[in-house]
Amino acid sequence: MQRIHCGIVPPHLLTRLAALQDPRLSGASTAARHALLELDPVLRERSEALRAPVRRGSAIAGSLTRRIHDAGGREELPGEVVRAEGAPPTGDVAADEAYDGLGSTYRLFSEEYGRSSIDGAGKRLDATVHYGSNYDNAFWDGERMVFGDGDGEIFGRFTASLTVISHELTHGFTQYSTNLEYQGQSGALNESLSDVFGVLVEQRDLGQDAASATWLVGAGIFTPSVRGEALRSLKAPGTAYDDDVLGKDPQPATMGDYVETTSDNGGVHINSGIPNHAFYLAATALGGEAWTGVGRIWYDAVLSGTIPPDCDFPTFAQATQDAAGRRFGPDSRGAGAVADAWTRVGVLR
């Protein structure tokens, strides 16, 4: 069974932090070692017991329902309920950011694409904040969102970035729509879909068109000591950070730089840069609001029934071409922009 536990911080970054010998960053090193060697394996084992029914339709009406828990620094889920749907802000920044981010993500899928929550059946959106002590990640475990507060040296709180919240919640959408295997190219597509819809949630919230958006995932979670804008860039994969501690962003933008690796489930957080960049190229070529243009094409492709769990990049590229043809016409600007984007990143020839 696939592993549903999906963290926003890729293992290669945690591995690098865990190996640090600098006493000034001992907190970050200790937090990364704990996440890699002790905590994440336990969470993965828990998530492997979860299996999701695939729902491609949106026939069941629902309304936005959120519930935020506070783990209080413990490694126990779900924690104490601190805010339910319709309740006023708590005054806890992380809890209120999580509440608002879940709402923004729900509204994109509901108001733009007609989907009743992430599962197409009105699922309540649950999140836990203040998970663990200095926990350096945020993840979707198959049932809920979970956010750490960061180590304070490299990472701050993970709710500070709307794209982190929407990225992780989109793993739930993927779980209930295609259940893409979290390995190799299908795993990279899984990560890419979360990046794509993650940035679309932020762009819609800010009223940005494709030309004015930053196209960054995870902006705001690094401390000021880090030389970097974010965890990933759809506009320019490989440029999100270049830091003495973290190293250089390893994401490729084209198939010519595809990374063959056995780590990180076959490089799912690295090679996702290729489909990410294809989406960016198509969105900026078409222009306007990306969530109403190319975003609809990607959404239609995911729900088309033609995406197998082990989907590779060419199969997904074809599905988006077919979806563009159905929605805008085979000779439309949208269809042309999608085909050209996949060609420019080397997936199609």
Side-chain angles (χ1 to χ4, degrees):
M1 187 190 306
Q2 79 172 98
R3 291 177 175 178
I4 301 173
H5 171 75
C6 303
I8 190 75
V9 179
H12 64 263
L13 282 185
L14 293 176
T15 299
R16 190 176 179 100
L17 290 176
L20 290 175
Q21 301 297 318
D22 189 337
R24 295 170 299 177
L25 296 172
S26 59
S29 181
T30 299
R33 283 197 301 273
H34 181 61
L36 280 170
L37 302 178
E38 300 176 40
L39 190 53
D40 281 2
V42 172
L43 294 169
R44 283 195 296 269
E45 182 178 351
R46 176 181 182 271
S47 71
E48 291 209 13
L50 301 172
R51 188 184 292 270
V54 171
R55 299 188 180 101
R56 296 193 175 92
S58 302
I60 301 176
S63 59
L64 173 58
T65 308
R66 292 162 284 187
R67 190 167 61 181
I68 310 300
H69 296 76
D70 184 347
R74 297 180 297 276
E75 294 171 4
E76 300 174 2
L77 293 173
E80 178 185 354
V81 176
V82 292
R83 190 174 180 186
E85 185 61 41
T90 65
D92 180 325
V93 175
D96 294 333
E97 286 172 338
Y99 182 90
D100 292 342
L102 295 182
S104 294
T105 308
Y106 179 97
R107 285 187 285 272
L108 173 76
F109 284 101
S110 174
E111 296 173 7
E112 299 297 337
Y113 307 135
R115 187 169 177 85
S116 179
S117 192
I118 58 173
D119 67 341
K123 179 178 175 64
R124 186 184 66 216
L125 303 181
D126 289 346
T128 294
V129 297
H130 304 308
Y131 180 78
S133 176
N134 302 326
Y135 181 57
D136 271 346
N137 226 328
F139 62 89
W140 166 259
D141 76 347
E143 284 294 325
R144 68 174 50 251
M145 288 293 314
V146 183
F147 300 96
D149 292 322
D151 55 63
E153 296 172 353
I154 299 297
F155 291 106
R157 69 182 187 279
F158 284 85
T159 55
S161 172
L162 175 56
T163 55
V164 168
I165 299 170
S166 51
H167 168 105
E168 290 303 325
L169 196 55
T170 299
H171 277 303
F173 163 66
T174 301
Q175 172 184 321
Y176 283 102
S177 58
T178 65
N179 239 335
L180 283 166
E181 293 175 0
Y182 205 62
Q183 178 71 41
Q185 289 192 11
S186 60
L189 287 168
N190 193 318
E191 281 297 325
S192 177
L193 288 174
S194 280
D195 282 351
V196 161
F197 288 105
V199 299
L200 293 182
V201 169
E202 181 179 77
Q203 290 173 19
R204 185 175 185 265
D205 247 31
L206 297 176
Q208 296 174 331
D209 62 13
S212 62
T214 67
W215 295 96
L216 295 173
V217 176
I221 64 172
F222 287 143
T223 65
S225 66
V226 176
R227 289 183 56 190
E229 296 181 291
L231 285 172
R232 291 183 286 281
S233 168
L234 281 71
K235 180 178 182 178
T239 69
Y241 57 87
D242 190 354
D243 181 73
D244 290 342
V245 174
L246 295 178
K248 189 178 186 305
D249 176 4
Q251 278 206 315
T254 69
M255 290 298 292
D257 295 316
Y258 186 90
V259 177
E260 295 285 356
T261 179
T262 58
S263 65
D264 190 22
N265 293 71
V268 299
H269 288 92
I270 295 176
N271 292 316
S272 57
I274 298 168
N276 276 0
H277 195 51
F279 183 87
Y280 163 80
L281 291 172
T284 51
L286 193 58
E289 298 171 341
W291 64 90
T292 64
V294 180
R296 289 187 184 276
I297 294 171
W298 255 238
Y299 179 84
D300 289 350
V302 170
L303 294 185
S304 66
T306 63
I307 306 297
D310 62 350
C311 187
D312 61 12
F313 290 173
T315 301
F316 187 81
Q318 186 61 56
T320 60
Q321 285 186 286
D322 294 343
R326 288 192 300 271
R327 180 167 286 277
F328 298 111
D331 298 320
S332 64
R333 283 183 61 236
V338 169
D340 181 63
W342 287 112
T343 301
R344 289 175 64 184
V345 301
V347 170
L348 298 178
R349 298 185 184 278

